Amino acid sequence: MRAHDIVPQADDLPGAGWTAIDDGVVTTGGTGPGALFDCIGPDFPDAAVVESASSPHFLRPPATLVHGTGVRFATEADAASAHEILGGPAFAACLGSSVAADLEAGATDVEVLGVELTTTAHGHRVRFTGGGDRGVRPVNLDIATVRIGATVGVLWCGDTPGAFPDDDLVLILERIRRRGGR
Protein backbone atom coordinates (compact mmCIF):
# COMPACT_ATOMS: atom_id res chain seq x y z
CA MET A 1 0.00 0.00 0.00
CA ARG A 2 1.30 3.47 -0.90
CA ALA A 3 1.40 6.29 1.65
CA HIS A 4 -1.24 8.23 -0.31
CA ASP A 5 -3.66 5.29 -0.09
CA ILE A 6 -3.76 5.33 3.72
CA VAL A 7 -4.71 9.01 4.12
CA PRO A 8 -8.35 10.12 4.01
CA GLN A 9 -9.70 11.03 0.61
CA ALA A 10 -12.84 12.94 -0.29
CA ASP A 11 -14.81 9.72 -0.92
CA ASP A 12 -13.95 8.48 2.59
CA LEU A 13 -15.71 11.36 4.33
CA PRO A 14 -19.22 10.92 5.74
CA GLY A 15 -22.10 13.07 4.58
CA ALA A 16 -21.84 16.15 2.39
CA GLY A 17 -20.48 19.67 2.59
CA TRP A 18 -16.74 18.92 2.80
CA THR A 19 -14.25 21.29 1.19
CA ALA A 20 -10.54 20.61 0.70
CA ILE A 21 -8.82 23.86 1.67
CA ASP A 22 -5.38 22.83 0.39
CA ASP A 23 -3.69 20.10 -1.62
CA GLY A 24 -2.35 16.85 -0.31
CA VAL A 25 1.38 16.13 -0.52
CA VAL A 26 3.29 13.00 -1.56
CA THR A 27 7.09 12.78 -1.21
CA THR A 28 9.73 10.08 -1.35
CA GLY A 29 12.20 9.44 1.42
CA GLY A 30 12.13 11.00 4.87
CA THR A 31 11.67 14.61 3.78
CA GLY A 32 7.89 14.81 3.57
CA PRO A 33 5.04 14.83 6.08
CA GLY A 34 6.48 11.84 7.94
CA ALA A 35 9.53 13.92 8.81
CA LEU A 36 7.40 16.88 9.90
CA PHE A 37 6.12 15.27 13.08
CA ASP A 38 7.81 17.19 15.87
CA CYS A 39 6.40 14.68 18.31
CA ILE A 40 7.82 11.35 17.15
CA GLY A 41 10.83 11.06 19.46
CA PRO A 42 14.23 9.48 18.91
CA ASP A 43 13.01 5.87 18.45
CA PHE A 44 10.98 6.63 15.32
CA PRO A 45 12.41 4.73 12.30
CA ASP A 46 13.10 7.84 10.17
CA ALA A 47 15.79 6.11 8.12
CA ALA A 48 13.26 3.49 6.96
CA VAL A 49 10.77 5.98 5.48
CA VAL A 50 10.19 5.17 1.80
CA GLU A 51 7.49 7.75 1.10
CA SER A 52 5.11 10.06 2.90
CA ALA A 53 1.78 11.64 2.07
CA SER A 54 -0.68 14.00 3.63
CA SER A 55 -4.29 14.54 2.76
CA PRO A 56 -5.83 17.92 2.17
CA HIS A 57 -7.35 19.55 5.25
CA PHE A 58 -11.03 18.77 4.74
CA LEU A 59 -13.43 21.19 6.42
CA ARG A 60 -17.19 21.04 6.87
CA PRO A 61 -19.10 23.96 8.38
CA PRO A 62 -19.36 25.06 10.97
CA ALA A 63 -16.03 23.77 12.37
CA THR A 64 -15.35 20.10 11.53
CA LEU A 65 -11.90 19.01 10.29
CA VAL A 66 -10.46 15.78 8.87
CA HIS A 67 -6.79 15.43 7.97
CA GLY A 68 -4.33 12.59 7.75
CA THR A 69 -0.73 11.69 7.13
CA GLY A 70 0.61 8.40 5.80
CA VAL A 71 4.11 6.96 5.86
CA ARG A 72 5.33 3.86 4.01
CA PHE A 73 8.32 2.11 5.53
CA ALA A 74 10.96 -0.23 4.15
CA THR A 75 9.69 -3.14 6.26
CA GLU A 76 6.62 -4.17 8.20
CA ALA A 77 8.76 -4.29 11.36
CA ASP A 78 9.63 -0.59 10.89
CA ALA A 79 5.94 0.17 10.33
CA ALA A 80 4.99 -1.72 13.50
CA SER A 81 7.52 0.30 15.50
CA ALA A 82 6.25 3.57 14.02
CA HIS A 83 2.61 2.54 14.60
CA GLU A 84 3.33 1.96 18.28
CA ILE A 85 4.88 5.44 18.62
CA LEU A 86 2.20 7.24 16.60
CA GLY A 87 -0.59 5.44 18.44
CA GLY A 88 0.80 6.27 21.86
CA PRO A 89 -0.43 8.87 24.35
CA ALA A 90 2.84 10.86 24.28
CA PHE A 91 2.50 11.46 20.53
CA ALA A 92 -1.21 12.37 20.86
CA ALA A 93 -0.56 14.80 23.71
CA CYS A 94 2.28 16.46 21.80
CA LEU A 95 0.28 16.70 18.56
CA GLY A 96 -2.72 18.14 20.38
CA SER A 97 -0.57 20.70 22.19
CA SER A 98 1.06 21.63 18.88
CA VAL A 99 -2.33 22.18 17.22
CA ALA A 100 -3.46 24.25 20.21
CA ALA A 101 -0.28 26.34 20.03
CA ASP A 102 -0.80 26.90 16.29
CA LEU A 103 -4.34 28.08 16.98
CA GLU A 104 -3.14 30.43 19.68
CA ALA A 105 -0.34 31.81 17.48
CA GLY A 106 -2.65 32.35 14.49
CA ALA A 107 -4.32 35.56 13.46
CA THR A 108 -7.03 35.24 16.09
CA ASP A 109 -7.61 36.48 19.59
CA VAL A 110 -7.79 32.93 20.98
CA GLU A 111 -5.96 32.07 24.18
CA VAL A 112 -5.62 28.37 24.99
CA LEU A 113 -6.81 27.82 28.55
CA GLY A 114 -6.04 24.12 29.00
CA VAL A 115 -5.19 20.87 27.19
CA GLU A 116 -6.54 17.47 28.30
CA LEU A 117 -5.84 13.98 26.88
CA THR A 118 -8.15 10.96 27.12
CA THR A 119 -7.98 7.48 25.62
CA THR A 120 -10.81 6.52 23.25
CA ALA A 121 -11.85 3.29 21.58
CA HIS A 122 -9.92 4.31 18.45
CA GLY A 123 -6.94 6.19 19.85
CA HIS A 124 -6.87 9.42 21.81
CA ARG A 125 -8.83 12.63 22.14
CA VAL A 126 -7.13 15.89 22.91
CA ARG A 127 -9.49 18.54 24.20
CA PHE A 128 -8.34 22.06 24.57
CA THR A 129 -10.32 25.07 25.58
CA GLY A 130 -9.81 28.41 23.92
CA GLY A 131 -11.06 31.74 25.11
CA GLY A 132 -11.43 34.97 23.17
CA ASP A 133 -13.79 37.82 22.35
CA ARG A 134 -16.55 35.32 21.52
CA GLY A 135 -16.27 33.47 24.84
CA VAL A 136 -14.82 30.12 25.83
CA ARG A 137 -15.11 27.16 23.47
CA PRO A 138 -13.80 23.59 23.66
CA VAL A 139 -12.03 22.06 20.65
CA ASN A 140 -11.83 18.27 20.37
CA LEU A 141 -9.19 16.54 18.29
CA ASP A 142 -9.55 12.78 17.84
CA ILE A 143 -6.34 11.03 16.79
CA ALA A 144 -6.42 7.50 15.38
CA THR A 145 -3.81 5.35 13.67
CA VAL A 146 -4.09 2.57 11.12
CA ARG A 147 -1.42 0.20 9.84
CA ILE A 148 -1.68 -1.87 6.69
CA GLY A 149 1.46 -3.86 5.97
CA ALA A 150 4.43 -1.50 5.85
CA THR A 151 2.27 1.65 5.75
CA VAL A 152 1.03 3.65 8.75
CA GLY A 153 -1.58 6.39 8.76
CA VAL A 154 -2.42 8.99 11.37
CA LEU A 155 -5.88 10.48 11.15
CA TRP A 156 -7.00 13.50 13.09
CA CYS A 157 -10.57 14.69 13.22
CA GLY A 158 -11.49 17.90 14.96
CA ASP A 159 -14.76 19.42 15.98
CA THR A 160 -16.21 22.01 18.32
CA PRO A 161 -17.98 22.29 20.70
CA GLY A 162 -18.66 18.54 20.73
CA ALA A 163 -16.38 15.68 19.77
CA PHE A 164 -16.08 14.36 16.21
CA PRO A 165 -18.82 11.70 15.86
CA ASP A 166 -17.44 8.25 16.68
CA ASP A 167 -19.51 6.61 13.93
CA ASP A 168 -17.98 8.98 11.36
CA LEU A 169 -14.45 8.19 12.56
CA VAL A 170 -15.16 4.45 12.32
CA LEU A 171 -16.55 4.91 8.80
CA ILE A 172 -13.42 6.75 7.62
CA LEU A 173 -11.13 4.11 9.14
CA GLU A 174 -13.18 1.30 7.55
CA ARG A 175 -12.98 2.93 4.12
CA ILE A 176 -9.21 3.33 4.43
CA ARG A 177 -8.83 -0.31 5.53
CA ARG A 178 -11.05 -1.49 2.67
CA ARG A 179 -8.81 0.35 0.20
CA GLY A 180 -5.90 -1.61 1.70
CA GLY A 181 -7.75 -4.89 1.38
CA ARG A 182 -8.27 -5.33 5.14
Short mmCIF file of all heavy atoms in Angstrom, two decimals, residues 96-138:
data_model
loop_
_atom_site.label_atom_id
_atom_site.label_comp_id
_atom_site.label_asym_id
_atom_site.label_seq_id
_atom_site.Cartn_x
_atom_site.Cartn_y
_atom_site.Cartn_z
N GLY A 96 -1.63 17.28 19.94
CA GLY A 96 -2.72 18.14 20.38
C GLY A 96 -2.22 19.47 20.91
O GLY A 96 -2.79 20.53 20.60
N SER A 97 -1.15 19.45 21.68
CA SER A 97 -0.57 20.70 22.19
C SER A 97 -0.03 21.56 21.06
O SER A 97 -0.14 22.79 21.09
CB SER A 97 0.54 20.39 23.20
OG SER A 97 -0.02 19.79 24.34
N SER A 98 0.54 20.91 20.04
CA SER A 98 1.06 21.63 18.88
C SER A 98 -0.06 22.31 18.10
O SER A 98 0.05 23.47 17.70
CB SER A 98 1.83 20.66 17.98
OG SER A 98 2.29 21.31 16.84
N VAL A 99 -1.18 21.59 17.92
CA VAL A 99 -2.33 22.18 17.22
C VAL A 99 -2.89 23.34 18.04
O VAL A 99 -3.21 24.40 17.49
CB VAL A 99 -3.41 21.11 16.96
CG1 VAL A 99 -4.71 21.74 16.47
CG2 VAL A 99 -2.91 20.09 15.95
N ALA A 100 -2.97 23.17 19.34
CA ALA A 100 -3.46 24.25 20.21
C ALA A 100 -2.55 25.47 20.13
O ALA A 100 -3.02 26.61 20.06
CB ALA A 100 -3.58 23.76 21.65
N ALA A 101 -1.24 25.23 20.13
CA ALA A 101 -0.28 26.34 20.03
C ALA A 101 -0.40 27.06 18.69
O ALA A 101 -0.30 28.29 18.63
CB ALA A 101 1.14 25.83 20.25
N ASP A 102 -0.61 26.29 17.61
CA ASP A 102 -0.80 26.90 16.29
C ASP A 102 -2.04 27.78 16.27
O ASP A 102 -2.04 28.86 15.69
CB ASP A 102 -0.91 25.83 15.21
CG ASP A 102 0.41 25.16 14.89
OD1 ASP A 102 1.47 25.66 15.33
OD2 ASP A 102 0.38 24.12 14.20
N LEU A 103 -3.10 27.30 16.90
CA LEU A 103 -4.34 28.08 16.98
C LEU A 103 -4.09 29.37 17.74
O LEU A 103 -4.51 30.45 17.31
CB LEU A 103 -5.45 27.27 17.65
CG LEU A 103 -6.78 27.98 17.84
CD1 LEU A 103 -7.42 28.28 16.50
CD2 LEU A 103 -7.71 27.13 18.70
N GLU A 104 -3.41 29.26 18.84
CA GLU A 104 -3.14 30.43 19.68
C GLU A 104 -2.23 31.43 18.97
O GLU A 104 -2.40 32.64 19.11
CB GLU A 104 -2.50 29.98 21.00
CG GLU A 104 -2.45 31.07 22.04
CD GLU A 104 -2.03 30.50 23.39
OE1 GLU A 104 -1.12 29.67 23.46
OE2 GLU A 104 -2.66 30.91 24.39
N ALA A 105 -1.29 30.94 18.17
CA ALA A 105 -0.34 31.81 17.48
C ALA A 105 -0.92 32.40 16.20
O ALA A 105 -0.33 33.31 15.62
CB ALA A 105 0.94 31.04 17.16
N GLY A 106 -2.05 31.88 15.74
CA GLY A 106 -2.65 32.35 14.49
C GLY A 106 -3.19 33.76 14.61
O GLY A 106 -3.07 34.43 15.63
N ALA A 107 -3.79 34.19 13.54
CA ALA A 107 -4.32 35.56 13.46
C ALA A 107 -5.69 35.66 14.11
O ALA A 107 -6.64 36.14 13.52
CB ALA A 107 -4.38 35.99 12.00
N THR A 108 -5.78 35.17 15.34
CA THR A 108 -7.03 35.24 16.09
C THR A 108 -6.73 35.78 17.47
O THR A 108 -5.59 35.95 17.86
CB THR A 108 -7.69 33.85 16.23
OG1 THR A 108 -6.84 33.03 17.04
CG2 THR A 108 -7.91 33.19 14.88
N ASP A 109 -7.78 36.00 18.21
CA ASP A 109 -7.61 36.48 19.59
C ASP A 109 -7.74 35.34 20.59
O ASP A 109 -7.95 35.55 21.77
CB ASP A 109 -8.65 37.56 19.89
CG ASP A 109 -10.08 37.02 19.86
OD1 ASP A 109 -10.29 35.92 19.31
OD2 ASP A 109 -10.97 37.70 20.39
N VAL A 110 -7.57 34.09 20.13
CA VAL A 110 -7.79 32.93 20.98
C VAL A 110 -6.61 32.73 21.93
O VAL A 110 -5.45 32.79 21.54
CB VAL A 110 -7.99 31.66 20.12
CG1 VAL A 110 -8.04 30.42 20.99
CG2 VAL A 110 -9.25 31.79 19.29
N GLU A 111 -6.95 32.46 23.18
CA GLU A 111 -5.96 32.07 24.18
C GLU A 111 -6.32 30.67 24.65
O GLU A 111 -7.45 30.42 25.05
CB GLU A 111 -5.99 33.04 25.37
CG GLU A 111 -5.04 32.64 26.48
CD GLU A 111 -5.17 33.52 27.71
OE1 GLU A 111 -5.93 34.51 27.68
OE2 GLU A 111 -4.51 33.21 28.71
N VAL A 112 -5.37 29.74 24.56
CA VAL A 112 -5.62 28.37 24.99
C VAL A 112 -5.57 28.33 26.52
O VAL A 112 -4.61 28.76 27.14
CB VAL A 112 -4.60 27.40 24.39
CG1 VAL A 112 -4.79 26.00 24.95
CG2 VAL A 112 -4.73 27.37 22.86
N LEU A 113 -6.66 27.82 27.10
CA LEU A 113 -6.81 27.82 28.55
C LEU A 113 -6.44 26.49 29.20
O LEU A 113 -6.21 26.45 30.40
CB LEU A 113 -8.25 28.19 28.92
CG LEU A 113 -8.74 29.52 28.34
CD1 LEU A 113 -10.21 29.70 28.64
CD2 LEU A 113 -7.91 30.68 28.87
N GLY A 114 -6.39 25.42 28.43
CA GLY A 114 -6.04 24.12 29.00
C GLY A 114 -6.07 23.05 27.94
O GLY A 114 -6.80 23.15 26.96
N VAL A 115 -5.25 21.99 28.11
CA VAL A 115 -5.19 20.87 27.19
C VAL A 115 -5.34 19.59 28.01
O VAL A 115 -4.67 19.41 29.01
CB VAL A 115 -3.85 20.84 26.41
CG1 VAL A 115 -3.81 19.64 25.47
CG2 VAL A 115 -3.64 22.13 25.63
N GLU A 116 -6.24 18.71 27.57
CA GLU A 116 -6.54 17.47 28.30
C GLU A 116 -6.52 16.30 27.32
O GLU A 116 -7.04 16.39 26.21
CB GLU A 116 -7.93 17.64 28.91
CG GLU A 116 -8.56 16.44 29.51
CD GLU A 116 -10.00 16.74 29.92
OE1 GLU A 116 -10.28 17.85 30.41
OE2 GLU A 116 -10.84 15.85 29.74
N LEU A 117 -5.94 15.17 27.71
CA LEU A 117 -5.84 13.98 26.88
C LEU A 117 -6.64 12.85 27.50
O LEU A 117 -6.54 12.59 28.70
CB LEU A 117 -4.37 13.55 26.75
CG LEU A 117 -4.11 12.25 26.00
CD1 LEU A 117 -4.33 12.44 24.50
CD2 LEU A 117 -2.70 11.75 26.27
N THR A 118 -7.45 12.16 26.67
CA THR A 118 -8.15 10.96 27.12
C THR A 118 -7.97 9.87 26.07
O THR A 118 -7.77 10.15 24.89
CB THR A 118 -9.66 11.21 27.34
OG1 THR A 118 -10.23 11.70 26.12
CG2 THR A 118 -9.90 12.20 28.45
N THR A 119 -8.05 8.62 26.52
CA THR A 119 -7.98 7.48 25.62
C THR A 119 -9.39 7.18 25.14
O THR A 119 -10.35 7.25 25.91
CB THR A 119 -7.40 6.26 26.35
OG1 THR A 119 -6.09 6.60 26.80
CG2 THR A 119 -7.32 5.05 25.45
N THR A 120 -9.52 6.87 23.84
CA THR A 120 -10.81 6.52 23.25
C THR A 120 -10.73 5.11 22.68
O THR A 120 -9.67 4.49 22.68
CB THR A 120 -11.19 7.50 22.11
OG1 THR A 120 -10.28 7.31 21.03
CG2 THR A 120 -11.16 8.94 22.60
N ALA A 121 -11.82 4.62 22.17
CA ALA A 121 -11.85 3.29 21.58
C ALA A 121 -10.97 3.19 20.34
O ALA A 121 -10.55 2.10 19.96
CB ALA A 121 -13.29 2.92 21.22
N HIS A 122 -10.67 4.33 19.72
CA HIS A 122 -9.92 4.31 18.45
C HIS A 122 -8.58 5.03 18.53
O HIS A 122 -7.91 5.17 17.51
CB HIS A 122 -10.77 4.92 17.34
CG HIS A 122 -12.12 4.29 17.27
ND1 HIS A 122 -12.32 3.01 16.82
CD2 HIS A 122 -13.34 4.74 17.66
CE1 HIS A 122 -13.60 2.70 16.92
NE2 HIS A 122 -14.24 3.73 17.43
N GLY A 123 -8.21 5.48 19.69
CA GLY A 123 -6.94 6.19 19.85
C GLY A 123 -6.98 7.13 21.04
O GLY A 123 -7.16 6.70 22.17
N HIS A 124 -6.88 8.42 20.74
CA HIS A 124 -6.87 9.42 21.81
C HIS A 124 -7.66 10.65 21.38
O HIS A 124 -7.78 10.95 20.20
CB HIS A 124 -5.43 9.83 22.13
CG HIS A 124 -4.61 8.70 22.64
ND1 HIS A 124 -3.88 7.88 21.82
CD2 HIS A 124 -4.44 8.22 23.90
CE1 HIS A 124 -3.30 6.96 22.53
NE2 HIS A 124 -3.61 7.14 23.81
N ARG A 125 -8.16 11.35 22.38
CA ARG A 125 -8.83 12.63 22.14
C ARG A 125 -8.09 13.68 22.95
O ARG A 125 -7.86 13.53 24.14
CB ARG A 125 -10.29 12.60 22.58
CG ARG A 125 -10.97 13.97 22.41
CD ARG A 125 -12.47 13.91 22.65
NE ARG A 125 -13.06 13.00 21.68
CZ ARG A 125 -13.96 12.05 21.98
NH1 ARG A 125 -14.39 11.92 23.21
NH2 ARG A 125 -14.43 11.26 21.05
N VAL A 126 -7.72 14.73 22.26
CA VAL A 126 -7.13 15.89 22.91
C VAL A 126 -8.21 16.97 22.90
O VAL A 126 -8.78 17.28 21.86
CB VAL A 126 -5.87 16.39 22.17
CG1 VAL A 126 -5.30 17.60 22.86
CG2 VAL A 126 -4.84 15.28 22.08
N ARG A 127 -8.48 17.48 24.07
CA ARG A 127 -9.49 18.54 24.20
C ARG A 127 -8.78 19.75 24.77
O ARG A 127 -8.13 19.67 25.80
CB ARG A 127 -10.60 18.09 25.14
CG ARG A 127 -11.69 19.12 25.35
CD ARG A 127 -12.71 18.56 26.36
NE ARG A 127 -13.66 19.56 26.74
CZ ARG A 127 -14.92 19.60 26.33
NH1 ARG A 127 -15.38 18.68 25.53
NH2 ARG A 127 -15.71 20.55 26.74
N PHE A 128 -8.88 20.83 24.03
CA PHE A 128 -8.34 22.06 24.57
C PHE A 128 -9.41 23.13 24.53
O PHE A 128 -10.33 23.08 23.71
CB PHE A 128 -7.05 22.51 23.88
CG PHE A 128 -7.08 22.57 22.38
CD1 PHE A 128 -7.38 23.74 21.71
CD2 PHE A 128 -6.77 21.44 21.63
CE1 PHE A 128 -7.39 23.80 20.34
CE2 PHE A 128 -6.77 21.50 20.25
CZ PHE A 128 -7.08 22.67 19.60
N THR A 129 -9.33 24.02 25.45
CA THR A 129 -10.32 25.07 25.58
C THR A 129 -9.66 26.39 25.22
O THR A 129 -8.58 26.71 25.71
CB THR A 129 -10.87 25.12 27.02
OG1 THR A 129 -11.37 23.82 27.34
CG2 THR A 129 -11.98 26.14 27.14
N GLY A 130 -10.32 27.10 24.34
CA GLY A 130 -9.81 28.41 23.92
C GLY A 130 -10.78 29.50 24.33
O GLY A 130 -12.00 29.31 24.29
N GLY A 131 -10.24 30.60 24.73
CA GLY A 131 -11.06 31.74 25.11
C GLY A 131 -10.68 32.96 24.28
O GLY A 131 -9.52 33.15 23.92
N GLY A 132 -11.67 33.76 23.95
CA GLY A 132 -11.43 34.97 23.17
C GLY A 132 -12.62 35.90 23.28
O GLY A 132 -13.46 35.76 24.19
N ASP A 133 -12.71 36.83 22.35
CA ASP A 133 -13.79 37.82 22.35
C ASP A 133 -15.18 37.18 22.27
O ASP A 133 -16.15 37.75 22.74
CB ASP A 133 -13.63 38.78 21.19
CG ASP A 133 -12.45 39.72 21.37
OD1 ASP A 133 -11.96 39.84 22.53
OD2 ASP A 133 -12.02 40.34 20.38
N ARG A 134 -15.26 35.98 21.67
CA ARG A 134 -16.55 35.32 21.52
C ARG A 134 -16.86 34.34 22.65
O ARG A 134 -17.79 33.55 22.56
CB ARG A 134 -16.60 34.58 20.20
CG ARG A 134 -16.51 35.51 19.02
CD ARG A 134 -16.61 34.74 17.75
NE ARG A 134 -16.53 35.64 16.61
CZ ARG A 134 -16.56 35.25 15.37
NH1 ARG A 134 -16.67 33.97 15.09
NH2 ARG A 134 -16.48 36.13 14.40
N GLY A 135 -16.04 34.35 23.69
CA GLY A 135 -16.27 33.47 24.84
C GLY A 135 -15.30 32.30 24.86
O GLY A 135 -14.30 32.29 24.17
N VAL A 136 -15.65 31.31 25.65
CA VAL A 136 -14.82 30.12 25.83
C VAL A 136 -15.45 28.97 25.04
O VAL A 136 -16.66 28.76 25.08
CB VAL A 136 -14.72 29.75 27.32
CG1 VAL A 136 -13.97 28.46 27.52
CG2 VAL A 136 -14.07 30.89 28.10
N ARG A 137 -14.60 28.24 24.31
CA ARG A 137 -15.11 27.16 23.47
C ARG A 137 -14.15 25.98 23.51
O ARG A 137 -12.95 26.15 23.30
CB ARG A 137 -15.28 27.65 22.05
CG ARG A 137 -15.90 26.66 21.14
CD ARG A 137 -16.18 27.27 19.78
NE ARG A 137 -17.16 26.45 19.13
CZ ARG A 137 -18.27 26.90 18.61
NH1 ARG A 137 -18.54 28.17 18.66
NH2 ARG A 137 -19.11 26.09 18.02
N PRO A 138 -14.66 24.76 23.72
CA PRO A 138 -13.80 23.59 23.66
C PRO A 138 -13.56 23.15 22.21
O PRO A 138 -14.45 23.27 21.36
CB PRO A 138 -14.60 22.53 24.41
CG PRO A 138 -16.02 22.93 24.18
CD PRO A 138 -16.02 24.43 24.11
#
